[in-house]
PDB file of all heavy atoms in Angstrom:
ATOM      1  N   ASN A  27      -0.769   6.122   7.741  1.00  0.00           N
ATOM      2  CA  ASN A  27       0.073   5.695   6.713  1.00  0.00           C
ATOM      3  C   ASN A  27      -0.663   5.373   5.426  1.00  0.00           C
ATOM      4  O   ASN A  27      -0.079   5.451   4.349  1.00  0.00           O
ATOM      5  CB  ASN A  27       0.854   4.367   7.151  1.00  0.00           C
ATOM      6  CG  ASN A  27       2.023   4.700   8.119  1.00  0.00           C
ATOM      7  OD1 ASN A  27       2.812   5.627   7.812  1.00  0.00           O
ATOM      8  ND2 ASN A  27       2.224   3.926   9.157  1.00  0.00           N
ATOM      9  N   PHE A  28      -1.869   5.077   5.547  1.00  0.00           N
ATOM     10  CA  PHE A  28      -2.698   4.721   4.445  1.00  0.00           C
ATOM     11  C   PHE A  28      -3.894   5.757   4.321  1.00  0.00           C
ATOM     12  O   PHE A  28      -3.814   6.544   3.473  1.00  0.00           O
ATOM     13  CB  PHE A  28      -3.273   3.241   4.546  1.00  0.00           C
ATOM     14  CG  PHE A  28      -2.181   2.250   4.871  1.00  0.00           C
ATOM     15  CD1 PHE A  28      -1.950   1.854   6.195  1.00  0.00           C
ATOM     16  CD2 PHE A  28      -1.418   1.798   3.823  1.00  0.00           C
ATOM     17  CE1 PHE A  28      -0.909   0.971   6.439  1.00  0.00           C
ATOM     18  CE2 PHE A  28      -0.416   0.941   4.059  1.00  0.00           C
ATOM     19  CZ  PHE A  28      -0.113   0.493   5.348  1.00  0.00           C
ATOM     20  N   ALA A  29      -4.886   5.569   5.179  1.00  0.00           N
ATOM     21  CA  ALA A  29      -5.924   6.549   5.295  1.00  0.00           C
ATOM     22  C   ALA A  29      -6.389   6.529   6.735  1.00  0.00           C
ATOM     23  O   ALA A  29      -7.019   5.459   7.169  1.00  0.00           O
ATOM     24  CB  ALA A  29      -7.091   6.218   4.409  1.00  0.00           C
ATOM     25  N   LYS A  30      -6.145   7.564   7.487  1.00  0.00           N
ATOM     26  CA  LYS A  30      -6.442   7.555   8.920  1.00  0.00           C
ATOM     27  C   LYS A  30      -7.864   7.125   9.291  1.00  0.00           C
ATOM     28  O   LYS A  30      -8.803   7.582   8.662  1.00  0.00           O
ATOM     29  CB  LYS A  30      -6.117   8.931   9.494  1.00  0.00           C
ATOM     30  CG  LYS A  30      -5.948   8.899  11.086  1.00  0.00           C
ATOM     31  CD  LYS A  30      -5.382  10.158  11.542  1.00  0.00           C
ATOM     32  CE  LYS A  30      -5.186  10.007  13.025  1.00  0.00           C
ATOM     33  NZ  LYS A  30      -4.510  11.132  13.583  1.00  0.00           N
ATOM     34  N   ASP A  31      -7.958   6.310  10.281  1.00  0.00           N
ATOM     35  CA  ASP A  31      -9.195   5.822  10.819  1.00  0.00           C
ATOM     36  C   ASP A  31     -10.004   4.993   9.925  1.00  0.00           C
ATOM     37  O   ASP A  31     -11.212   4.902  10.008  1.00  0.00           O
ATOM     38  CB  ASP A  31     -10.062   7.028  11.356  1.00  0.00           C
ATOM     39  CG  ASP A  31      -9.406   7.759  12.491  1.00  0.00           C
ATOM     40  OD1 ASP A  31      -8.697   7.088  13.326  1.00  0.00           O
ATOM     41  OD2 ASP A  31      -9.507   9.000  12.588  1.00  0.00           O
ATOM     42  N   THR A  32      -9.303   4.295   9.000  1.00  0.00           N
ATOM     43  CA  THR A  32      -9.987   3.366   8.071  1.00  0.00           C
ATOM     44  C   THR A  32      -9.286   2.019   8.164  1.00  0.00           C
ATOM     45  O   THR A  32      -8.123   1.900   8.675  1.00  0.00           O
ATOM     46  CB  THR A  32      -9.948   3.889   6.636  1.00  0.00           C
ATOM     47  OG1 THR A  32      -8.529   3.942   6.187  1.00  0.00           O
ATOM     48  CG2 THR A  32     -10.558   5.260   6.468  1.00  0.00           C
ATOM     49  N   PRO A  33      -9.965   0.938   7.757  1.00  0.00           N
ATOM     50  CA  PRO A  33      -9.412  -0.437   7.856  1.00  0.00           C
ATOM     51  C   PRO A  33      -8.245  -0.576   7.002  1.00  0.00           C
ATOM     52  O   PRO A  33      -8.140  -0.145   5.914  1.00  0.00           O
ATOM     53  CB  PRO A  33     -10.612  -1.257   7.420  1.00  0.00           C
ATOM     54  CG  PRO A  33     -11.800  -0.499   7.448  1.00  0.00           C
ATOM     55  CD  PRO A  33     -11.408   0.894   7.276  1.00  0.00           C
ATOM     56  N   VAL A  34      -7.237  -1.346   7.565  1.00  0.00           N
ATOM     57  CA  VAL A  34      -6.054  -1.769   6.806  1.00  0.00           C
ATOM     58  C   VAL A  34      -5.997  -3.312   7.114  1.00  0.00           C
ATOM     59  O   VAL A  34      -6.035  -3.755   8.213  1.00  0.00           O
ATOM     60  CB  VAL A  34      -4.798  -0.986   7.192  1.00  0.00           C
ATOM     61  CG1 VAL A  34      -4.400  -1.153   8.628  1.00  0.00           C
ATOM     62  CG2 VAL A  34      -3.626  -1.458   6.217  1.00  0.00           C
ATOM     63  N   TYR A  35      -5.723  -4.065   6.072  1.00  0.00           N
ATOM     64  CA  TYR A  35      -5.496  -5.501   6.148  1.00  0.00           C
ATOM     65  C   TYR A  35      -4.093  -5.766   5.654  1.00  0.00           C
ATOM     66  O   TYR A  35      -3.709  -5.337   4.644  1.00  0.00           O
ATOM     67  CB  TYR A  35      -6.473  -6.202   5.116  1.00  0.00           C
ATOM     68  CG  TYR A  35      -7.940  -5.999   5.522  1.00  0.00           C
ATOM     69  CD1 TYR A  35      -8.623  -4.926   5.154  1.00  0.00           C
ATOM     70  CD2 TYR A  35      -8.698  -7.025   6.135  1.00  0.00           C
ATOM     71  CE1 TYR A  35      -9.987  -4.766   5.458  1.00  0.00           C
ATOM     72  CE2 TYR A  35      -9.986  -6.941   6.415  1.00  0.00           C
ATOM     73  CZ  TYR A  35     -10.650  -5.817   6.166  1.00  0.00           C
ATOM     74  OH  TYR A  35     -11.967  -5.604   6.413  1.00  0.00           O
ATOM     75  N   TYR A  36      -3.363  -6.506   6.602  1.00  0.00           N
ATOM     76  CA  TYR A  36      -1.945  -6.776   6.239  1.00  0.00           C
ATOM     77  C   TYR A  36      -1.555  -8.131   6.519  1.00  0.00           C
ATOM     78  O   TYR A  36      -2.189  -8.830   7.283  1.00  0.00           O
ATOM     79  CB  TYR A  36      -1.122  -5.793   7.100  1.00  0.00           C
ATOM     80  CG  TYR A  36      -1.225  -6.062   8.581  1.00  0.00           C
ATOM     81  CD1 TYR A  36      -0.240  -6.917   9.201  1.00  0.00           C
ATOM     82  CD2 TYR A  36      -2.070  -5.409   9.335  1.00  0.00           C
ATOM     83  CE1 TYR A  36      -0.427  -7.123  10.522  1.00  0.00           C
ATOM     84  CE2 TYR A  36      -2.275  -5.686  10.690  1.00  0.00           C
ATOM     85  CZ  TYR A  36      -1.346  -6.543  11.295  1.00  0.00           C
ATOM     86  OH  TYR A  36      -1.520  -6.766  12.554  1.00  0.00           O
ATOM     87  N   ARG A  37      -0.483  -8.603   5.956  1.00  0.00           N
ATOM     88  CA  ARG A  37       0.031 -10.013   6.145  1.00  0.00           C
ATOM     89  C   ARG A  37       1.549  -9.928   5.848  1.00  0.00           C
ATOM     90  O   ARG A  37       2.028  -9.377   4.937  1.00  0.00           O
ATOM     91  CB  ARG A  37      -0.630 -10.946   5.115  1.00  0.00           C
ATOM     92  CG  ARG A  37      -0.131 -12.404   5.335  1.00  0.00           C
ATOM     93  CD  ARG A  37      -1.132 -13.321   4.541  1.00  0.00           C
ATOM     94  NE  ARG A  37      -0.917 -13.249   3.163  1.00  0.00           N
ATOM     95  CZ  ARG A  37      -0.201 -13.961   2.441  1.00  0.00           C
ATOM     96  NH1 ARG A  37       0.500 -14.951   3.033  1.00  0.00           N
ATOM     97  NH2 ARG A  37      -0.088 -13.834   1.187  1.00  0.00           N
ATOM     98  N   ARG A  38       2.257 -10.533   6.758  1.00  0.00           N
ATOM     99  CA  ARG A  38       3.765 -10.711   6.637  1.00  0.00           C
ATOM    100  C   ARG A  38       4.008 -11.748   5.548  1.00  0.00           C
ATOM    101  O   ARG A  38       3.386 -12.771   5.547  1.00  0.00           O
ATOM    102  CB  ARG A  38       4.392 -11.105   7.925  1.00  0.00           C
ATOM    103  CG  ARG A  38       5.923 -11.195   7.813  1.00  0.00           C
ATOM    104  CD  ARG A  38       6.569 -11.748   9.119  1.00  0.00           C
ATOM    105  NE  ARG A  38       6.346 -10.901  10.279  1.00  0.00           N
ATOM    106  CZ  ARG A  38       7.235 -10.010  10.655  1.00  0.00           C
ATOM    107  NH1 ARG A  38       8.339  -9.831  10.006  1.00  0.00           N
ATOM    108  NH2 ARG A  38       6.989  -9.268  11.719  1.00  0.00           N
ATOM    109  N   ILE A  39       4.861 -11.337   4.567  1.00  0.00           N
ATOM    110  CA  ILE A  39       5.258 -12.326   3.545  1.00  0.00           C
ATOM    111  C   ILE A  39       6.766 -12.706   3.567  1.00  0.00           C
ATOM    112  O   ILE A  39       7.190 -13.607   2.792  1.00  0.00           O
ATOM    113  CB  ILE A  39       4.860 -11.809   2.152  1.00  0.00           C
ATOM    114  CG1 ILE A  39       5.433 -10.496   1.846  1.00  0.00           C
ATOM    115  CG2 ILE A  39       3.333 -11.768   2.032  1.00  0.00           C
ATOM    116  CD1 ILE A  39       5.264 -10.046   0.386  1.00  0.00           C
ATOM    117  N   SER A  40       7.555 -11.996   4.288  1.00  0.00           N
ATOM    118  CA  SER A  40       8.970 -12.240   4.539  1.00  0.00           C
ATOM    119  C   SER A  40       9.384 -11.564   5.803  1.00  0.00           C
ATOM    120  O   SER A  40       8.646 -10.969   6.475  1.00  0.00           O
ATOM    121  CB  SER A  40       9.852 -11.819   3.294  1.00  0.00           C
ATOM    122  OG  SER A  40      10.036 -10.474   3.262  1.00  0.00           O
ATOM    123  N   GLU A  41      10.634 -11.786   6.117  1.00  0.00           N
ATOM    124  CA  GLU A  41      11.140 -11.244   7.363  1.00  0.00           C
ATOM    125  C   GLU A  41      10.805  -9.747   7.594  1.00  0.00           C
ATOM    126  O   GLU A  41      10.394  -9.338   8.707  1.00  0.00           O
ATOM    127  CB  GLU A  41      12.644 -11.431   7.445  1.00  0.00           C
ATOM    128  CG  GLU A  41      13.277 -11.095   8.817  1.00  0.00           C
ATOM    129  CD  GLU A  41      14.727 -11.417   8.921  1.00  0.00           C
ATOM    130  OE1 GLU A  41      15.175 -12.314   8.257  1.00  0.00           O
ATOM    131  OE2 GLU A  41      15.445 -10.711   9.642  1.00  0.00           O
ATOM    132  N   ASN A  42      10.965  -8.957   6.518  1.00  0.00           N
ATOM    133  CA  ASN A  42      10.728  -7.518   6.744  1.00  0.00           C
ATOM    134  C   ASN A  42       9.745  -6.973   5.672  1.00  0.00           C
ATOM    135  O   ASN A  42       9.822  -5.786   5.384  1.00  0.00           O
ATOM    136  CB  ASN A  42      12.030  -6.806   6.769  1.00  0.00           C
ATOM    137  CG  ASN A  42      12.729  -6.789   5.411  1.00  0.00           C
ATOM    138  OD1 ASN A  42      12.516  -7.601   4.630  1.00  0.00           O
ATOM    139  ND2 ASN A  42      13.659  -5.824   5.195  1.00  0.00           N
ATOM    140  N   LYS A  43       8.921  -7.780   5.041  1.00  0.00           N
ATOM    141  CA  LYS A  43       7.992  -7.350   4.043  1.00  0.00           C
ATOM    142  C   LYS A  43       6.577  -7.743   4.444  1.00  0.00           C
ATOM    143  O   LYS A  43       6.310  -8.864   4.900  1.00  0.00           O
ATOM    144  CB  LYS A  43       8.291  -7.907   2.679  1.00  0.00           C
ATOM    145  CG  LYS A  43       9.628  -7.431   2.080  1.00  0.00           C
ATOM    146  CD  LYS A  43       9.546  -6.026   1.517  1.00  0.00           C
ATOM    147  CE  LYS A  43      10.850  -5.693   0.901  1.00  0.00           C
ATOM    148  NZ  LYS A  43      10.938  -4.313   0.593  1.00  0.00           N
ATOM    149  N   PHE A  44       5.688  -6.796   4.171  1.00  0.00           N
ATOM    150  CA  PHE A  44       4.204  -7.068   4.375  1.00  0.00           C
ATOM    151  C   PHE A  44       3.495  -6.638   3.176  1.00  0.00           C
ATOM    152  O   PHE A  44       3.926  -5.760   2.427  1.00  0.00           O
ATOM    153  CB  PHE A  44       3.765  -6.192   5.498  1.00  0.00           C
ATOM    154  CG  PHE A  44       4.314  -6.577   6.952  1.00  0.00           C
ATOM    155  CD1 PHE A  44       5.527  -6.074   7.263  1.00  0.00           C
ATOM    156  CD2 PHE A  44       3.566  -7.412   7.779  1.00  0.00           C
ATOM    157  CE1 PHE A  44       6.057  -6.376   8.519  1.00  0.00           C
ATOM    158  CE2 PHE A  44       4.095  -7.748   9.029  1.00  0.00           C
ATOM    159  CZ  PHE A  44       5.349  -7.202   9.358  1.00  0.00           C
ATOM    160  N   LEU A  45       2.423  -7.338   2.840  1.00  0.00           N
ATOM    161  CA  LEU A  45       1.470  -6.841   1.868  1.00  0.00           C
ATOM    162  C   LEU A  45       0.282  -6.325   2.614  1.00  0.00           C
ATOM    163  O   LEU A  45      -0.031  -6.825   3.651  1.00  0.00           O
ATOM    164  CB  LEU A  45       1.056  -7.987   0.904  1.00  0.00           C
ATOM    165  CG  LEU A  45       2.007  -8.592  -0.012  1.00  0.00           C
ATOM    166  CD1 LEU A  45       1.502  -9.608  -0.901  1.00  0.00           C
ATOM    167  CD2 LEU A  45       2.717  -7.518  -0.837  1.00  0.00           C
ATOM    168  N   ALA A  46      -0.284  -5.149   2.023  1.00  0.00           N
ATOM    169  CA  ALA A  46      -1.436  -4.539   2.822  1.00  0.00           C
ATOM    170  C   ALA A  46      -2.396  -4.026   1.793  1.00  0.00           C
ATOM    171  O   ALA A  46      -2.026  -3.680   0.690  1.00  0.00           O
ATOM    172  CB  ALA A  46      -0.909  -3.417   3.687  1.00  0.00           C
ATOM    173  N   PHE A  47      -3.649  -4.017   2.304  1.00  0.00           N
ATOM    174  CA  PHE A  47      -4.770  -3.461   1.484  1.00  0.00           C
ATOM    175  C   PHE A  47      -5.432  -2.398   2.481  1.00  0.00           C
ATOM    176  O   PHE A  47      -5.585  -2.775   3.660  1.00  0.00           O
ATOM    177  CB  PHE A  47      -5.827  -4.486   1.053  1.00  0.00           C
ATOM    178  CG  PHE A  47      -5.350  -5.432   0.044  1.00  0.00           C
ATOM    179  CD1 PHE A  47      -4.797  -6.696   0.373  1.00  0.00           C
ATOM    180  CD2 PHE A  47      -5.386  -5.101  -1.358  1.00  0.00           C
ATOM    181  CE1 PHE A  47      -4.393  -7.515  -0.600  1.00  0.00           C
ATOM    182  CE2 PHE A  47      -4.982  -5.963  -2.274  1.00  0.00           C
ATOM    183  CZ  PHE A  47      -4.473  -7.197  -1.959  1.00  0.00           C
ATOM    184  N   ASN A  48      -5.895  -1.351   1.949  1.00  0.00           N
ATOM    185  CA  ASN A  48      -6.633  -0.493   2.786  1.00  0.00           C
ATOM    186  C   ASN A  48      -7.870   0.018   1.996  1.00  0.00           C
ATOM    187  O   ASN A  48      -7.977  -0.119   0.809  1.00  0.00           O
ATOM    188  CB  ASN A  48      -5.831   0.781   3.310  1.00  0.00           C
ATOM    189  CG  ASN A  48      -5.672   1.821   2.271  1.00  0.00           C
ATOM    190  OD1 ASN A  48      -5.092   1.529   1.183  1.00  0.00           O
ATOM    191  ND2 ASN A  48      -6.192   3.011   2.512  1.00  0.00           N
ATOM    192  N   ILE A  49      -8.837   0.426   2.771  1.00  0.00           N
ATOM    193  CA  ILE A  49     -10.218   0.915   2.240  1.00  0.00           C
ATOM    194  C   ILE A  49     -10.242   2.366   2.594  1.00  0.00           C
ATOM    195  O   ILE A  49     -10.640   2.815   3.654  1.00  0.00           O
ATOM    196  CB  ILE A  49     -11.334   0.134   2.855  1.00  0.00           C
ATOM    197  CG1 ILE A  49     -11.099  -1.406   2.717  1.00  0.00           C
ATOM    198  CG2 ILE A  49     -12.630   0.546   2.245  1.00  0.00           C
ATOM    199  CD1 ILE A  49     -12.097  -2.267   3.487  1.00  0.00           C
ATOM    200  N   PRO A  50      -9.799   3.243   1.640  1.00  0.00           N
ATOM    201  CA  PRO A  50      -9.537   4.623   1.937  1.00  0.00           C
ATOM    202  C   PRO A  50     -10.790   5.436   2.201  1.00  0.00           C
ATOM    203  O   PRO A  50     -10.760   6.402   2.989  1.00  0.00           O
ATOM    204  CB  PRO A  50      -8.857   5.125   0.673  1.00  0.00           C
ATOM    205  CG  PRO A  50      -9.185   4.194  -0.460  1.00  0.00           C
ATOM    206  CD  PRO A  50      -9.301   2.884   0.251  1.00  0.00           C
ATOM    207  N   PHE A  51     -11.910   5.087   1.662  1.00  0.00           N
ATOM    208  CA  PHE A  51     -13.174   5.919   1.874  1.00  0.00           C
ATOM    209  C   PHE A  51     -14.133   5.157   2.718  1.00  0.00           C
ATOM    210  O   PHE A  51     -15.396   5.467   2.689  1.00  0.00           O
ATOM    211  CB  PHE A  51     -13.780   6.222   0.448  1.00  0.00           C
ATOM    212  CG  PHE A  51     -12.804   6.992  -0.403  1.00  0.00           C
ATOM    213  CD1 PHE A  51     -12.403   6.331  -1.612  1.00  0.00           C
ATOM    214  CD2 PHE A  51     -12.222   8.163  -0.058  1.00  0.00           C
ATOM    215  CE1 PHE A  51     -11.461   6.896  -2.426  1.00  0.00           C
ATOM    216  CE2 PHE A  51     -11.328   8.793  -0.888  1.00  0.00           C
ATOM    217  CZ  PHE A  51     -10.950   8.154  -2.072  1.00  0.00           C
ATOM    218  N   TYR A  52     -13.762   4.214   3.539  1.00  0.00           N
ATOM    219  CA  TYR A  52     -14.634   3.382   4.395  1.00  0.00           C
ATOM    220  C   TYR A  52     -15.517   4.215   5.181  1.00  0.00           C
ATOM    221  O   TYR A  52     -15.086   4.997   6.073  1.00  0.00           O
ATOM    222  CB  TYR A  52     -13.815   2.387   5.166  1.00  0.00           C
ATOM    223  CG  TYR A  52     -14.718   1.443   5.906  1.00  0.00           C
ATOM    224  CD1 TYR A  52     -15.099   0.332   5.326  1.00  0.00           C
ATOM    225  CD2 TYR A  52     -15.087   1.681   7.247  1.00  0.00           C
ATOM    226  CE1 TYR A  52     -15.934  -0.639   5.928  1.00  0.00           C
ATOM    227  CE2 TYR A  52     -15.811   0.787   7.871  1.00  0.00           C
ATOM    228  CZ  TYR A  52     -16.285  -0.424   7.253  1.00  0.00           C
ATOM    229  OH  TYR A  52     -17.078  -1.301   7.899  1.00  0.00           O
ATOM    230  N   GLY A  53     -16.852   4.210   4.922  1.00  0.00           N
ATOM    231  CA  GLY A  53     -17.821   4.882   5.753  1.00  0.00           C
ATOM    232  C   GLY A  53     -17.769   6.476   5.623  1.00  0.00           C
ATOM    233  O   GLY A  53     -18.395   7.094   6.447  1.00  0.00           O
ATOM    234  N   LYS A  54     -17.062   6.961   4.721  1.00  0.00           N
ATOM    235  CA  LYS A  54     -16.916   8.394   4.622  1.00  0.00           C
ATOM    236  C   LYS A  54     -17.792   9.125   3.589  1.00  0.00           C
ATOM    237  O   LYS A  54     -18.095  10.228   3.721  1.00  0.00           O
ATOM    238  CB  LYS A  54     -15.410   8.752   4.376  1.00  0.00           C
ATOM    239  CG  LYS A  54     -14.508   8.411   5.577  1.00  0.00           C
ATOM    240  CD  LYS A  54     -13.120   8.940   5.323  1.00  0.00           C
ATOM    241  CE  LYS A  54     -12.317   8.541   6.572  1.00  0.00           C
ATOM    242  NZ  LYS A  54     -11.252   9.343   6.810  1.00  0.00           N
ATOM    243  N   VAL A  55     -18.130   8.416   2.595  1.00  0.00           N
ATOM    244  CA  VAL A  55     -18.889   9.008   1.514  1.00  0.00           C
ATOM    245  C   VAL A  55     -20.104   8.156   1.263  1.00  0.00           C
ATOM    246  O   VAL A  55     -19.965   7.028   0.993  1.00  0.00           O
ATOM    247  CB  VAL A  55     -18.079   9.185   0.211  1.00  0.00           C
ATOM    248  CG1 VAL A  55     -18.851   9.790  -0.884  1.00  0.00           C
ATOM    249  CG2 VAL A  55     -16.809   9.904   0.431  1.00  0.00           C
ATOM    250  N   LYS A  56     -21.303   8.803   1.409  1.00  0.00           N
ATOM    251  CA  LYS A  56     -22.529   8.039   1.139  1.00  0.00           C
ATOM    252  C   LYS A  56     -22.581   7.581  -0.309  1.00  0.00           C
ATOM    253  O   LYS A  56     -22.378   8.316  -1.257  1.00  0.00           O
ATOM    254  CB  LYS A  56     -23.771   9.001   1.422  1.00  0.00           C
ATOM    255  CG  LYS A  56     -25.014   8.268   1.327  1.00  0.00           C
ATOM    256  CD  LYS A  56     -26.170   9.245   1.666  1.00  0.00           C
ATOM    257  CE  LYS A  56     -27.521   8.466   1.549  1.00  0.00           C
ATOM    258  NZ  LYS A  56     -28.609   9.404   1.848  1.00  0.00           N
ATOM    259  N   ASN A  57     -22.941   6.369  -0.550  1.00  0.00           N
ATOM    260  CA  ASN A  57     -23.087   5.750  -1.839  1.00  0.00           C
ATOM    261  C   ASN A  57     -21.766   5.686  -2.595  1.00  0.00           C
ATOM    262  O   ASN A  57     -21.768   5.565  -3.838  1.00  0.00           O
ATOM    263  CB  ASN A  57     -24.145   6.470  -2.761  1.00  0.00           C
ATOM    264  CG  ASN A  57     -25.483   6.301  -2.112  1.00  0.00           C
ATOM    265  OD1 ASN A  57     -25.830   5.305  -1.484  1.00  0.00           O
ATOM    266  ND2 ASN A  57     -26.349   7.303  -2.280  1.00  0.00           N
ATOM    267  N   ALA A  58     -20.642   5.754  -1.935  1.00  0.00           N
ATOM    268  CA  ALA A  58     -19.389   5.706  -2.555  1.00  0.00           C
ATOM    269  C   ALA A  58     -19.041   4.346  -3.110  1.00  0.00           C
ATOM    270  O   ALA A  58     -19.454   3.262  -2.450  1.00  0.00           O
ATOM    271  CB  ALA A  58     -18.265   6.073  -1.593  1.00  0.00           C
TER     272      ALA A  58
END
């Protein structure tokens, strides 16, 4: 949904809403 096999941080903020952050290049590119 974000970037496969990378970290996603999420938090529920209402009954059916979440805020999320993902790290799309986590561990994939040297010196990125």
Side-chain angles (χ1 to χ4, degrees):
N27 281 318
F28 310 97
K30 195 168 184 175
D31 297 325
T32 62
V34 60
Y35 295 81
Y36 66 91
R37 183 167 71 94
R38 183 186 294 267
I39 58 170
S40 73
E41 186 177 331
N42 67 339
K43 295 283 184 191
F44 294 82
L45 293 181
F47 292 96
N48 77 299
I49 306 170
F51 305 115
Y52 187 83
K54 294 191 178 203
V55 181
K56 186 178 177 182
N57 295 327

